[in-house]
Amino acid sequence: MNRIGVVGCGLMGAGIAEVSARAGMEVVVVESSAPAAEAGQARLTKSLKRAEDKGKIGSAAAVLERIRLEISLDALADREVVVEAIVEDEQAKTDLFTQLDKIVESPDAILASNTSSIPIMKLGVATTRPENVIGIHFFNPVPVLKLVELVPSLITSPDVTERSRRFVQDVLGKEAIDCPDRAGFVVNALLIPFVLSAIRMLESGFADAEDIDRGLVLGAAHPQGPLALADLIGLDTTKAVADSLYEEFKEPLYAAPPLLLRMVDAGLLGRKAGRGFYNY
């Protein structure tokens, strides 16, 4: 595979586009509007320039030449693999997959989702080729973190799973783990209850944010505390994953605490908003 399409150029979409272009692929990124595409271009330029300054790549300009920003899904017609990286909303994603099914021409093309929680089967049945639909879940920041979760549905073809594995490992140089098609997959099914527990601890007044995070960093050798991590993930994304997990399993540990709900309502979404559990 040489031609990849990415839908969405936020933090995750831009990261997927960047690592694909750095691997030599021809990348088309589709955003919803011209201003969003301009913001995505600026995000890519900033990240690649930083990588160039650190000596991780030879030329940011050369990598950028392999990335094309568009505002029409029709630009994805000739892609061999398309990775969806839009808002973590089931209806928005299923609508997008219905459109991609009509636009992407090759019957062998892989239609992948970067969802962190939504069952892949629900996205697959929105198309006429559910055997070609798979979850390829990257982690933020994509250029840095090596892990990718591969999530085939019950009817994803073994060939699509294997080609996706080669794309992730041989082309992008990432490490893939196999995950069942259940909300949260492997990492978030473990991580989100941990983060929610930290939020409940803060909400109850048991400890403040700094001490909760310092405790896990200094006492458990975590690279960052759970509340700082929630700010990095985005509190809206944290809530969305929690909601998907709770809907699927109905376990209290997956229920979003009231503090998280109110912060999302207030727009206190973490790093991307400038304020979450910490100010940025």
Side-chain angles (χ1 to χ4, degrees), residues 28-40:
V28 171
V29 186
V30 176
E31 256 295 359
S32 57
S33 66
E38 290 172 6

Side-chain angles (χ1 to χ4, degrees), residues 116 137 139 147 149-151 177-193 245 254:
S116 54
H137 179 221
F139 289 81
L147 182 67
E149 291 179 319
L150 281 184
V151 193
I177 61 172
D178 297 316
C179 303
D181 185 19
R182 300 188 306 175
F185 315 138
V186 169
V187 173
N188 279 315
L190 293 169
L191 178 64
I192 293 301
L245 286 162
Y254 295 127

Side-chain angles (χ1 to χ4, degrees), residues 229-241:
L229 178 60
D231 278 353
L232 177 63
I233 294 169
L235 301 195
D236 52 343
T237 301
T238 301
K239 176 186 175 298
V241 178

Side-chain angles (χ1 to χ4, degrees), residues 197-208:
S197 180
I199 296 172
R200 293 189 189 98
M201 181 175 281
L202 174 67
E203 185 175 44
S204 72
F206 189 91
D208 63 24

Side-chain angles (χ1 to χ4, degrees), residues 9-276:
C9 201
L11 285 175
M12 296 303 295
I16 296 166
E18 177 179 333
V19 296
S20 299
R22 285 169 63 168
M25 300 189 78
E26 175 198 320
V27 185
V28 171
V29 186
V30 176
E31 256 295 359
S32 57
S33 66
E38 290 172 6
Q41 183 74 51
R43 182 175 290 112
L44 284 162
T45 301
K46 181 179 179 181
S47 178
L48 285 165
K49 185 64 170 64
R50 185 165 57 242
E52 180 184 70
D53 291 343
K54 292 181 178 179
K56 294 181 178 180
I57 59 174
S59 168
V63 176
L64 283 167
E65 286 180 358
R66 293 193 284 271
I67 304 173
R68 189 171 89 245
L69 272 291
E70 299 283 352
I71 58 172
S72 171
L73 291 172
D74 291 338
L76 302 172
D78 68 342
R79 299 293 94 179
E80 297 164 297
V81 55
V82 177
V83 181
E84 166 273 314
I86 65 171
V87 62
E88 192 71 0
D89 178 85
E90 184 177 321
Q91 189 61 57
K93 289 182 186 290
T94 53
D95 289 347
L96 174 60
F97 272 81
T98 298
Q99 295 178 71
L100 292 175
D101 184 37
K102 297 173 182 176
I103 290 169
V104 180
E105 295 171 351
S106 171
D108 296 323
I110 295 171
L111 303 181
S113 176
N114 185 57
T115 180
S116 54
S117 62
I118 296 170
I120 301 304
M121 181 63 76
K122 292 185 177 182
L123 305 180
V125 297
T127 75
T128 61
R129 39 179 157 176
E131 67 280 2
N132 287 27
V133 177
I134 190 169
I136 301 180
H137 179 221
F138 295 81
F139 289 81
N140 183 38
V142 179
V144 176
L145 296 185
K146 298 286 288 183
L147 182 67
V148 174
E149 291 179 319
L150 281 184
V151 193
S153 77
L154 290 173
I155 52 178
T156 301
S157 78
D159 173 67
V160 166
T161 301
E162 190 52 38
R163 284 193 289 133
S164 298
R165 189 185 314 280
R166 293 200 302 269
F167 164 62
V168 166
Q169 297 189 162
D170 298 345
V171 178
L172 301 185
K174 301 288 189 181
E175 295 290 337
I177 61 172
D178 297 316
C179 303
D181 185 19
R182 300 188 306 175
F185 315 138
V186 169
V187 173
N188 279 315
L190 293 169
L191 178 64
I192 293 301
F194 167 64
V195 171
L196 298 181
S197 180
I199 296 172
R200 293 189 189 98
M201 181 175 281
L202 174 67
E203 185 175 44
S204 72
F206 189 91
D208 63 24
E210 290 80 3
D211 283 346
I212 291 169
D213 280 355
R214 278 165 51 86
L216 272 296
V217 170
L218 301 178
H222 289 202
Q224 64 184 148
L227 299 175
L229 178 60
D231 278 353
L232 177 63
I233 294 169
L235 301 195
D236 52 343
T237 301
T238 301
K239 176 186 175 298
V241 178
D243 289 347
S244 293
L245 286 162
Y246 186 75
E247 180 181 352
E248 178 130 318
F249 299 110
K250 301 299 189 293
E251 295 282 353
L253 76 164
Y254 295 127
L259 176 59
L260 177 61
L261 302 179
R262 299 301 176 269
M263 292 180 73
V264 171
D265 288 343
L268 307 178
L269 305 181
R271 284 183 177 272
K272 61 187 174 185
R275 182 180 169 192

